[in-house]
Amino acid sequence: MTTLSTSIGSVFEFDSETPLVAPTFTSNATTCAIVKDDLTGIVAVFTKSSDCNYKVVIMALSSAGAAGIVIINPQPGLAYPTIEGVSSSVVSVTPEDGQLIMDTIAAGSATIRGPTSKPYDIRAASEGGQLSAYSSMGPDPYLDLVPHVLAPGGNIYSTFPIKYGSYFVMSGTSMACPYVSGAVALLKEARPSLTVSEIDDILSITAKPLVDPDTGSIEHPYKGGSGLINVYDAIISRATIDPPRLSINSTTQGLLTGISGILASNMRWSARSIKLTNTDTANDMHVTIENSYSASLSLYYPNGSIAYTPLTFGGNDSPDGSNPTIQLFNAPAIVPAGQTEEYLITIVAPTGLNDTNGWFFGGTIEFRLQWGDEAATSVYGVPYAGPSGDYSKLDILVPTDSGYPMIGDDNGDPLDPATLVITGDLSAFLLVGIAVPPPLGILQLVDSANNTVGYLPTGYMKYVPHTCLACSLPSIPYPINGTVFTDEELANSVQAPSGKYHIHSAFLRPLGDANNSDDFQIWDSQEFTIA
């Protein structure tokens, strides 16, 4: 028997044997899932992967007439897809059941049934209490530490429109956000004088980090933030910490001594000040501090290409120097009732990281607090994270040996600018591979006299996402059709006159100054013709 997740779209019920196929997909510069077959009356199966967003695949299969869609989840357990506007019934299966299905299809004709007489049941999810594989990951383009907190959002059995059954299992921010909203409401009800900023801070410092089952250490703050919200601990909290999180935008390289377990060496470090306030006006607060490290993360393979799943370095049972450490230079053991003390803490990056491969180290500084003669200990956390090396100097664009940037057609194939002629019936695309997400991207059409004519369509962009060289869409396509815009809002368009032109692209490096041309990575195309 194959276990299915709860379906979306129509109910997954097929009383008769229904053909089951694994369609083939093609792609072009604008979509990663083109289905050319007629799937009417057929159940289609595909494996969820990094090559193409599963929602795009589902929409393509549904548009092709698939009566049902089965997603093979490559991770342990079931996936619970969330998508609107799909008429096909969509379910998922585990990797083990998926392999059985694919083997059956490979052996010859395959069919599937979903009898209406078979009752449905609800089972515990094996991945419960762990970070979802599809959870968004930081940092933001300015290296600020995001997300701030985690909330339950995977495989949540919740209310749903009555006409679709009233209750449904769903996943995503549409489940996590109500949880956070409820936590904020409870905290505000219990402590109505708190401001929005204070609520954010308290929920952050009282959250509980999750453990990464692969490394044995806590989830990296760029994945797990401060941890899972604990609204009870937030309500009864008796301390505040400023700042509630540390975004390490740069590190100093030099000699640092006095760190237990590590010899004096030329390492990267960042000195920070943290203020701890005892909001209990009746009891002194006793303080001990510990470092809970995370395995370092990178999105880059040694050859410079993007890794869709982050690489890790360090974690539990790793050699000395593999994980970040902290050194306390001023750490009062007691904070008097109603008072504030300052703590000077130096965070030391792992010594085994390659500065050029985009590694991010991280962890949580744990403040273990006891009030008066109470035996109970409350643990508050301040997550920290940052790059090994100078993040602002990394290239935005993928290595040029990848073939990008280039001018290509709608299938992603390169075009020769020397022979390219843009007309009303023929356009081209600037195909750009992004390795490091820039806070600003500018694409301009420049004439043969080196005069800027205007911005390409979508040619003034804030916060450009990175691409994945290992995926079927390794670049972002930007249309070149002779129409340009004279303003950054891309509201006023003009048609470029006939002539020779090239594309001038400029991408602002993280933490860079948009008014300083040296902070941009520049790439100019060869000349082409607009007729």
Side-chain angles (χ1 to χ4, degrees):
M1 180 184 71
T2 297
T3 301
L4 305 176
S5 69
T6 303
S7 65
I8 59 175
S10 57
V11 179
F12 196 88
E13 292 179 341
F14 302 96
D15 272 328
S16 60
E17 297 290 343
T18 304
L20 178 67
V21 302
T24 57
F25 302 94
T26 59
S27 62
N28 59 27
T30 58
T31 182
C32 55
I34 300 174
V35 181
K36 295 183 179 180
D37 300 326
D38 181 5
L39 301 178
T40 302
I42 293 174
V43 174
V45 59
F46 73 95
T47 300
K48 188 178 180 182
S49 73
S50 60
D51 286 350
C52 191
N53 186 291
Y54 76 91
K55 295 184 179 181
V56 176
V57 179
I58 289 173
M59 293 299 294
L61 293 173
S62 182
S63 298
I69 300 171
V70 178
I71 304 174
I72 300 174
N73 187 23
Q75 304 297 326
L78 297 169
Y80 294 84
T82 302
I83 186 171
E84 298 178 356
V86 175
S87 58
S88 308
S89 177
V90 185
V91 296
S92 82
V93 297
T94 64
E96 296 77 17
D97 287 336
Q99 186 61 55
L100 175 62
I101 290 173
M102 297 303 289
D103 289 345
T104 304
I105 293 174
S109 60
T111 60
I112 191 170
R113 289 183 62 196
T116 57
S117 59
K118 175 65 179 178
Y120 296 95
D121 61 1
I122 298 175
R123 302 182 181 183
S126 61
E127 62 272 22
Q130 299 178 17
L131 186 67
S132 299
Y134 49 83
S135 184
S136 297
M137 176 181 164
D140 77 1
Y142 297 100
L143 285 187
D144 284 340
L145 200 158
V146 290
H148 287 184
V149 293
L150 298 175
N155 309 338
I156 304 299
Y157 186 64
S158 184
T159 54
F160 207 62
I162 294 174
K163 67 177 181 179
Y164 295 124
S166 300
Y167 293 92
F168 190 61
V169 176
M170 297 180 66
S171 297
T173 50
S174 56
M175 296 290 99
C177 285
Y179 188 97
V180 176
S181 299
V184 170
L186 289 172
L187 182 54
K188 185 69 173 177
E189 180 183 28
R191 301 170 63 176
S193 64
L194 291 176
T195 65
V196 171
S197 178
E198 289 170 339
I199 289 173
D200 180 14
D201 292 354
I202 291 172
L203 288 175
S204 294
I205 65 174
T206 57
K208 309 305 176 189
L210 298 183
V211 174
D212 183 343
D214 294 326
T215 65
S217 55
I218 64 171
E219 291 283 5
H220 194 285
Y222 286 163
K223 297 173 66 178
S226 296
L228 187 64
I229 283 179
N230 187 312
V231 68
Y232 178 76
D233 282 0
I235 289 173
I236 66 170
S237 61
R238 288 184 281 173
T240 61
I241 303 178
D242 181 30
R245 62 193 67 86
L246 296 174
S247 297
I248 303 173
N249 295 338
S250 61
T251 51
T252 299
Q253 189 169 21
L255 293 176
L256 187 63
T257 61
I259 299 180
S260 176
I262 299 181
L263 299 175
S265 60
N266 194 23
M267 57 183 62
R268 292 193 173 276
W269 50 273
S270 178
R272 295 302 175 100
S273 169
I274 297 176
K275 292 183 178 180
L276 176 62
T277 299
N278 180 7
T279 57
D280 186 331
T281 58
N283 297 287
D284 291 348
M285 183 172 68
H286 301 268
V287 182
T288 57
I289 300 175
E290 295 183 9
N291 176 46
S292 184
Y293 55 75
S294 305
S296 299
L297 300 179
S298 176
L299 289 176
Y300 306 94
Y301 291 112
N303 65 0
S305 62
I306 295 293
Y308 183 80
T309 300
L311 308 179
T312 59
F313 176 88
N316 285 7
D317 302 322
S318 297
D320 286 347
S322 301
N323 296 299
T325 58
I326 62 172
Q327 176 74 13
L328 306 177
F329 288 100
N330 183 62
I334 296 177
V335 180
Q339 300 297 309
T340 299
E341 293 286 358
E342 183 178 23
Y343 294 76
L344 301 180
I345 300 175
T346 295
I347 300 167
V348 183
T351 57
L353 298 181
N354 185 328
D355 289 356
T356 62
N357 283 353
W359 286 100
F360 295 100
F361 62 89
T364 295
I365 301 170
E366 295 183 349
F367 289 81
R368 298 179 174 270
L369 311 177
Q370 291 177 294
W371 280 268
D373 297 327
E374 299 174 12
T377 299
S378 295
V379 181
Y380 293 3
V382 176
Y384 62 87
S388 176
D390 191 342
Y391 192 65
S392 68
K393 302 300 183 184
L394 293 179
D395 283 341
I396 298 296
L397 303 176
V398 299
T400 54
D401 59 9
S402 67
Y404 300 100
M406 70 176 181
I407 294 177
D409 59 20
D410 57 1
N411 291 316
D413 296 324
L415 296 172
D416 181 4
T419 59
L420 174 63
V421 179
I422 303 293
T423 66
D425 298 323
L426 176 65
S427 61
F429 295 88
L430 175 64
L431 303 175
V432 180
I434 300 294
V436 177
L440 178 63
I442 297 173
L443 307 175
Q444 295 172 311
L445 187 68
V446 180
D447 65 20
S448 57
N450 214 31
N451 298 313
T452 300
V453 181
Y455 299 103
L456 296 186
T458 68
Y460 191 90
M461 307 157 288
K462 294 184 177 180
Y463 311 118
V464 184
H466 74 70
T467 58
C468 173
L469 283 179
C471 304
S472 59
L473 283 180
S475 63
I476 302 175
Y478 299 102
I480 309 170
N481 54 20
T483 299
V484 294
F485 293 83
T486 58
D487 59 312
E488 295 176 358
E489 291 74 26
L490 306 179
N492 302 313
S493 64
V494 297
Q495 185 65 31
S498 300
K500 295 283 188 179
Y501 297 90
H502 74 271
I503 303 300
H504 174 76
S505 65
F507 295 92
L508 182 63
R509 289 186 167 90
L511 314 178
D513 181 359
N515 296 314
N516 184 354
S517 60
D518 291 337
D519 288 347
F520 285 83
Q521 183 178 3
I522 305 299
W523 181 84
D524 290 286
S525 75
Q526 293 178 279
E527 274 196 341
F528 54 89
T529 301
I530 294 179

